[in-house]
Amino acid sequence: QLIIEHMEEAGDGALRRQFDLLKTKLANEGLFDAAHKKEIPKTAIRVGIITSPSGAAIHDILTTLKRRFPMQKTIIYPTPVQGKGACNNIAAAIHKANARQETDVLIIARGGGALEDLWEFNEEVVARAIYDSDIPIVTGIGHEVDFTIADFVADQRAATPTAAAELISPHRYQQLQKLSSI
């Protein structure tokens, strides 16, 4: 005989339920609506990057930007992107970038990981900071199969940090060809 007095979800089940509840709440409030999405500039000259200064994501982004369009100016807003309270740091970096108005577009990035590792991007404070941003935001969080609340609110989602850098940087050869034809 088995008598259960209390049962609750554990692991991914509990996190997935939290994710779904917040996703539904924010969707009902209109935070994911296409009408609110800002256009990503075709040629962003000043790119802001919100990520950890020591992770692989920053290296991948900078390498891609340098290879594709080295004329772009990059401004890094270093912030922890994992661990308790990182969500407040991510939101603060978004607010700081908006207060300074020194970039044409922001990339919010983090390399891959388990659901728990990416959880800070599923917090409401990050979603609201992205929604309130005057600067267009591209997310490159995790791997191709990973989706976060931040991705749904952002103006554009890229599958990886490298893909985010490619999305906001024209290829220099295309630009030179365009210039030659003019």
Side-chain angles (χ1 to χ4, degrees), residues 146-159:
D146 298 319
F147 279 88
T148 65
I149 297 292
D151 293 322
F152 292 110
V153 181
D155 300 300
Q156 180 84 43
R157 176 201 178 257

Side-chain angles (χ1 to χ4, degrees), residues 40-141:
I40 306 301
K42 298 262 187 253
T43 305
I45 301 300
R46 301 168 304 157
V47 178
I49 305 167
I50 297 173
T51 193
S52 169
S54 61
I58 189 67
H59 172 73
D60 293 347
I61 292 168
L62 293 174
T63 300
T64 302
L65 293 176
K66 185 177 181 182
R67 175 179 43 83
R68 289 180 56 87
F69 197 60
M71 289 73 74
Q72 281 178 315
K73 177 182 176 187
T74 55
I75 299 166
I76 300 170
Y77 299 92
T79 186
V81 291
Q82 182 177 338
K84 190 155 180 72
C87 59
N88 294 319
N89 294 319
I90 296 164
I94 295 167
H95 294 306
K96 180 189 281 187
N98 275 272
R100 290 183 178 176
Q101 287 294 308
E102 57 194 356
T103 63
D104 302 317
V105 65
L106 289 172
I107 295 175
I108 301 175
R110 187 211 185 281
L115 179 62
E116 295 86 358
D117 298 331
L118 304 177
W119 191 256
E120 297 300 307
F121 297 98
N122 292 320
E123 294 289 351
E124 188 168 354
V125 67
V126 172
R128 295 206 182 273
I130 292 170
Y131 183 80
D132 291 338
S133 177
D134 293 326
I135 302 169
I137 293 179
V138 175
T139 54
I141 301 166

